[in-house]
Amino acid sequence: MRDTRPRGSTRGGPRSPAVPLVAIGTALAPVAVAFVVGGPWWAVGVVVAGAMAGVGWGLWRAHRRARVEDELWRHQDALAAGRRTLEEVDLLTGTQFEELVADLCRRDGFAEVRRVGGSGDNGADVLCRLPDGRRAVIQCKRYTPTRRIAPKEVRDLLGAKTHFAADVAVFVTTTTFTRQSTAFAVENGILAIHRDFFGLWNRGTPLASLAALNGTGQGRPRR
């Protein structure tokens, strides 16, 4: 699938370091020497065992280094996403915004995160599992700050929650909700992440911390 990660995000991650071939060659050299000089079989066996141990140690070191570099890359990528301003988010495409939301879910420890938005998505843009195991369906709307989320759009998410047999439904947007759509979300257990809340989530506040504030904190829409 084409890489649709937002601009400013590190692409591809670190490359796994190559196996230290020089070290392996050095370890195997005594084996060749032992065979050439025609040493006793037990001596050859000792040399072979030592060489194989050296190869195994080199592979283990390479694997360990790859894991450390991968964890560092993921941490730096999460920090870069957290530094993205709302103004920069406003310039993303709808697909890039969905990818950003998926990345924030991964940052918060969600599992099985996958973007499913697109034609025929049945009202879902991101599917995942919360750290406690509950299944969540997320709708993402990257709208201009002056546009507001109407009740119909929130009702559609309720239908998606039923369709995907999800336990939790989250509506994430870069704008605000109307009073009616906010009331509908709260009454039906839908977490409404408006622009102000998204700004907090994007800067590092866990999504779970915002759930207790559902239906509040929405600033006045920009003119």
Side-chain angles (χ1 to χ4, degrees), residues 20-33 47-48 50-55 57:
L21 298 179
V22 175
I24 293 176
T26 302
L28 292 178
V31 179
V33 173
V47 173
V48 170
M52 295 304 295
V55 171
W57 179 81

Side-chain angles (χ1 to χ4, degrees), residues 74-87:
R74 292 181 183 277
H75 177 68
Q76 291 174 339
D77 197 54
L79 290 177
R83 287 194 295 267
R84 189 176 290 110
T85 66
L86 286 176
E87 288 71 22

Side-chain angles (χ1 to χ4, degrees), residues 2 6 20 33 37 56 64 141 177 193-194 202 206:
R2 182 175 62 87
V33 173
V37 301
R64 184 171 180 270
K141 293 296 183 184
F177 295 83
I193 301 298
H194 48 71
N202 185 52

Side-chain angles (χ1 to χ4, degrees), residues 53-75:
V55 171
W57 179 81
L59 292 172
W60 176 81
R61 285 288 302 273
H63 174 70
R64 184 171 180 270
R65 185 163 57 249
R67 290 189 59 183
V68 170
E69 291 181 359
D70 181 69
E71 291 176 359
L72 177 61
W73 167 75
R74 292 181 183 277
H75 177 68

